[in-house]
Amino acid sequence: MALQPSNCSGPRPIYTDKKVVYEDVYKPELVPVIHEVEVVERIHHVPVPVHHVVVKRRVVHCGYNC
């Protein structure tokens, strides 16, 4: 299409169909992530030797007239 001068004030603008242009903007959003941890205390009984000394005393008569 050719531009037509009007009243010697310059060409009139030509309008085309409107185009929609999308500009995607991403904003960070904090989302809580919950990590559940269960601590299990395990008790193990371990045998530990405890030494007890039993002393027996005996008297023996030695020597003269045994």
Side-chain angles (χ1 to χ4, degrees):
M1 180 186 275
L3 298 177
Q4 301 281 335
S6 65
N7 297 335
C8 296
S9 62
R12 286 187 270 171
I14 301 173
Y15 291 94
T16 61
D17 293 338
K18 177 174 74 172
K19 292 185 180 182
V20 177
V21 177
Y22 294 98
E23 180 181 4
D24 294 328
V25 177
Y26 297 94
K27 291 175 56 176
E29 183 177 334
L30 296 177
V31 177
V33 178
I34 299 171
H35 299 276
E36 186 175 336
V37 175
E38 179 182 11
V39 176
V40 177
E41 181 179 344
R42 301 185 324 171
I43 300 174
H44 302 274
H45 295 280
V46 180
V48 177
V50 177
H51 299 279
H52 297 277
V53 178
V54 177
V55 178
K56 292 185 178 184
R57 185 176 293 262
R58 171 170 82 153
V59 177
V60 178
H61 296 278
C62 298
Y64 195 67
N65 290 331
C66 286

